[in-house]
Amino acid sequence: MKKRIAVIGSGIAGLTSGWLCREAGAEVTILETHANRGMGTHTQFLNVEGGESGHVDVPLRVMSPHAWPTVLELCEKLGVKTFEVDTQIACSWLNSRTWFRSSKIQFGSRMFPWVPLNYLLRQETYRMILGFIRLFKSDPDLLDSGLTLKEFSDQHRIDPLFWKGLLYPLLTTICTSDEKTIDHWPANQILDLLQKIVFGARLRRLQGGTKALADKLGEGLNLQKGIRVEKLVEKSSGIFLHSQNATFGPFDYVISAVQANQLNFLPEQYSSESKLLNSFPYDSGTLWVHRDVRFMPERKQDWSPLHFQMDKDFSQFMFSVWVNPIEPTIAHHEPVLQTWNPLFEPKSEKVIVAVPMERAVVNQGNHNLLKELDLLHKFPSRKVFFCGSYAAPGVPLLESAVRSAINVVRHLGFDPSISRQFKIPRQVSLEETSSNLAA
Ligand SMILES: Cc1cc2nc3c(=O)[nH]c(=O)nc-3n(C[C@H](O)[C@H](O)[C@H](O)COP(=O)(O)OP(=O)(O)OC[C@H]3O[C@@H](n4cnc5c(N)ncnc54)[C@H](O)[C@@H]3O)c2cc1C
């Protein structure tokens, strides 16, 4: 008989686990509290009168093949195309001038980080280049695995302008964690990730955006929308899930793919799971999608897809993404920006949407929590499993969400054929993608 599996939540973790279970022959029902699929629910569709329509993923998905191999392999399996983008960086003082810009230079088939000519002779640029040289001269494999990033920077006397002005804003952006956490992160892991992102293959985006991947994962799945699971009841005949007006079940297994701090539906007998999962830290904030160009460098020629703004003592900073150069469907629209927790609010007439969001924070404690979760999952008669962006070790959350879904599917006795080895395809540029789309 087919295994009957319920998945609670249709973010990327829920859709991936549901899709993999169905591929393996199970009967899958997904319950989602939103009126639509959770994954891609905040995507903005921007229509210009008489012009092209476009979309903006919220939050934006930009992935390095080295750090997001499983997500990209999943896309490949599903036939969701990806394309390469360049995400140059600009750094500016708050309300003041831009002091650094990066660019890329091509040698043969490879791209290397470089600096635009008008920035080459600046003192700050040399301090940045020296910082990179210091950083990349050290071989992560030779570093003591207990050495923290802070200890590494102290030992190598790394310039604060490079460290606090560029590296920390970049790392807090990629790693979804705060400065303190980054200070204590093992230096070898972060250096390895940075080397791969800066010197490795170019970053990629999904053609058709998050929606394209969500559409493929959701194809043929029994998705019950507008259903908030409020109670989980285990009986001898199976597991039942109750919402305010309906009951679903019986199921043989349940995969909880909601965030770790949203598990109010678990009954008393799951108190140890609730306690463990409630210990995962979260960061909340608002992601603003807007057109307020005060969040970009003063001079248009300094605009870069990633813009970090900070005050001169580095006590506060924010980053904005200029979406147009990396999203072909809005390449010719007015500027669209995304800013996470801005230090000042964008002008109201320039706001497209402001979405309150929470994201799992990776810190030193997670490692032990994940070990405990893994042990719980291995309990022989287990029927309820947990996955999501908090539930797998590693830095990029989307990758962790997909990996945790694969782990859960394995615990259920299935063998999903995902190798976590994304093979970087022939280079497809943004220009090529734009002309494909236009055609
Ligand atoms: C500003 C921001 C920027 C980010 N940038 C990146 C990035 O660059 N790279 C990256 O890898 N990651 C990034 N992330 C993180 C990534 O987007 C998320 O971690 C990931 O999408 C979470 O997926 P998930 O499936 O674990 O959870 P979710 O997407 O939260 O899905 C959980 C689903 O469960 C549903 N649900 C909850 N409770 C119930 C219930 N009781 N009954 C039924 N349904 C329920 C919810 O409605 C939701 O749809 C970013 C996040 C934010 C906020």
Side-chain angles (χ1 to χ4, degrees):
M1 201 174 102
K2 280 187 172 185
K3 282 180 182 160
R4 297 161 303 177
I5 297 174
V7 179
I8 309 175
S10 63
I12 190 167
L15 288 180
T16 304
S17 55
W19 181 76
L20 289 170
C21 288
R22 203 177 70 110
E23 284 285 295
E27 193 182 296
V28 179
T29 306
I30 302 193
L31 305 172
E32 167 59 52
T33 187
H34 276 302
N36 287 308
R37 260 183 332 229
M39 184 181 179
T41 199
H42 301 298
T43 299
Q44 296 297 305
F45 296 93
L46 305 174
N47 295 313
V48 178
E49 222 177 293
E52 310 151 40
S53 60
H55 64 257
V56 178
D57 281 340
V58 181
L60 203 68
R61 314 281 180 209
V62 183
M63 295 175 277
S64 151
H66 305 288
W68 281 261
T70 324
V71 182
L72 289 169
E73 189 188 338
L74 184 68
C75 293
E76 203 175 40
K77 262 192 182 335
L78 289 160
V80 176
K81 292 208 172 76
T82 58
F83 59 93
E84 292 175 328
V85 289
D86 284 323
T87 44
Q88 289 95 343
I89 295 171
C91 300
S92 310
W93 302 123
L94 268 175
N95 307 316
S96 180
R97 70 180 176 92
T98 299
W99 53 267
F100 176 71
R101 258 192 74 203
S102 73
S103 70
K104 290 244 173 175
I105 192 164
Q106 188 159 1
F107 283 115
S109 63
R110 290 199 63 185
M111 303 293 287
F112 290 86
W114 191 237
V115 189
L117 279 181
N118 54 338
Y119 276 82
L120 253 187
L121 298 177
R122 296 199 182 180
Q123 194 213 36
E124 287 102 337
T125 300
Y126 280 93
R127 291 171 68 182
M128 292 296 111
I129 292 173
L130 276 179
F132 272 114
I133 292 174
R134 282 252 159 91
L135 206 61
F136 293 113
K137 259 186 18 194
S138 41
D139 182 346
D141 293 337
L142 299 181
L143 292 180
D144 175 354
S145 63
L147 187 77
T148 66
L149 203 60
K150 172 88 173 56
E151 288 162 350
F152 174 87
S153 98
D154 292 344
Q155 277 177 15
H156 290 74
R157 283 183 282 127
I158 294 181
D159 187 340
L161 184 74
F162 174 71
W163 201 242
K164 296 273 181 182
L166 179 69
L167 210 68
Y168 264 52
L170 190 63
L171 286 173
T172 49
T173 307
I174 302 172
C175 301
T176 324
S177 42
D178 57 21
E179 268 189 64
K180 237 193 191 147
T181 301
I182 288 175
D183 271 347
H184 290 97
W185 204 283
N188 57 355
Q189 282 184 24
I190 291 285
L191 294 188
D192 183 53
L193 178 74
L194 276 173
Q195 289 187 354
K196 284 173 175 163
I197 290 182
V198 178
F199 293 113
R202 290 160 82 190
L203 301 179
R204 308 187 78 84
R205 299 206 57 235
L206 304 173
Q207 194 166 310
T210 305
K211 184 179 175 302
L213 179 56
D215 281 349
K216 284 283 181 190
L217 285 171
E219 245 169 41
L221 279 176
N222 174 14
L223 174 61
Q224 303 283 331
K225 298 179 226 170
I227 303 291
R228 175 167 203 80
V229 174
E230 293 187 344
K231 212 160 100 192
L232 179 152
V233 178
E234 238 182 285
K235 293 188 177 165
S236 54
S237 54
I239 306 175
F240 292 84
L241 297 174
H242 299 270
S243 71
Q244 204 173 15
N245 304 315
T247 298
F248 298 83
F251 299 106
D252 302 311
Y253 299 99
V254 169
I255 299 175
S256 161
V258 309
Q259 294 296 337
N261 57 0
Q262 296 176 349
L263 292 156
N264 313 340
F265 51 80
L266 285 180
E268 188 53 36
Q269 77 246 43
Y270 282 88
S271 58
S272 46
E273 282 86 346
S274 297
K275 192 164 167 243
L276 171 71
L277 291 158
N278 264 318
S279 314
F280 281 91
Y282 276 83
D283 172 26
S284 58
T286 303
L287 184 59
W288 296 73
V289 185
H290 62 96
R291 298 186 191 275
D292 187 339
V293 297
R294 290 176 302 162
F295 290 81
M296 281 285 110
E298 282 168 357
R299 300 175 339 146
K300 185 83 198 235
Q301 62 264 43
D302 287 333
W303 283 31
S304 295
L306 279 186
H307 185 217
F308 296 109
Q309 287 168 283
M310 63 217 69
D311 57 11
K312 289 200 172 160
D313 62 4
F314 306 113
S315 60
Q316 42 178 4
F317 61 79
M318 62 179 167
F319 80 95
S320 298
V321 184
W322 174 31
V323 187
N324 308 63
I326 52 175
E327 175 45 62
T329 62
I330 59 158
H332 306 297
H333 285 214
E334 267 183 72
V336 177
L337 312 175
Q338 283 194 13
T339 309
W340 172 246
N341 283 345
L343 295 173
F344 52 91
E345 279 197 8
K347 288 179 186 154
S348 57
E349 69 276 16
K350 301 280 182 188
V351 174
I352 297 170
V353 69
V355 190
M357 286 185 154
E358 279 199 316
R359 52 185 191 178
V361 173
V362 183
N363 71 15
Q364 311 101 279
N366 292 41
H367 189 64
N368 293 335
L369 296 174
L370 288 172
K371 272 194 185 156
E372 280 184 55
L373 182 62
D374 194 48
L375 282 178
L376 279 176
H377 275 162
K378 286 184 175 139
F379 199 71
S381 58
R382 173 152 291 278
K383 294 204 162 37
V384 180
F385 296 84
F386 303 90
C387 64
S389 53
Y390 65 91
V395 176
L397 292 178
L398 217 53
E399 174 73 9
S400 301
V402 171
R403 285 188 186 195
S404 73
I406 294 170
N407 288 344
V408 160
V409 171
R410 291 209 167 110
H411 281 300
L412 282 168
F414 299 126
D415 182 20
S417 55
I418 297 249
S419 62
R420 298 182 184 177
Q421 295 287 317
F422 174 67
K423 286 180 207 68
I424 298 159
R426 180 186 75 82
Q427 295 208 339
V428 181
S429 66
L430 180 62
E431 295 71 37
E432 210 176 320
T433 306
S434 304
S435 54
N436 285 346
L437 283 175

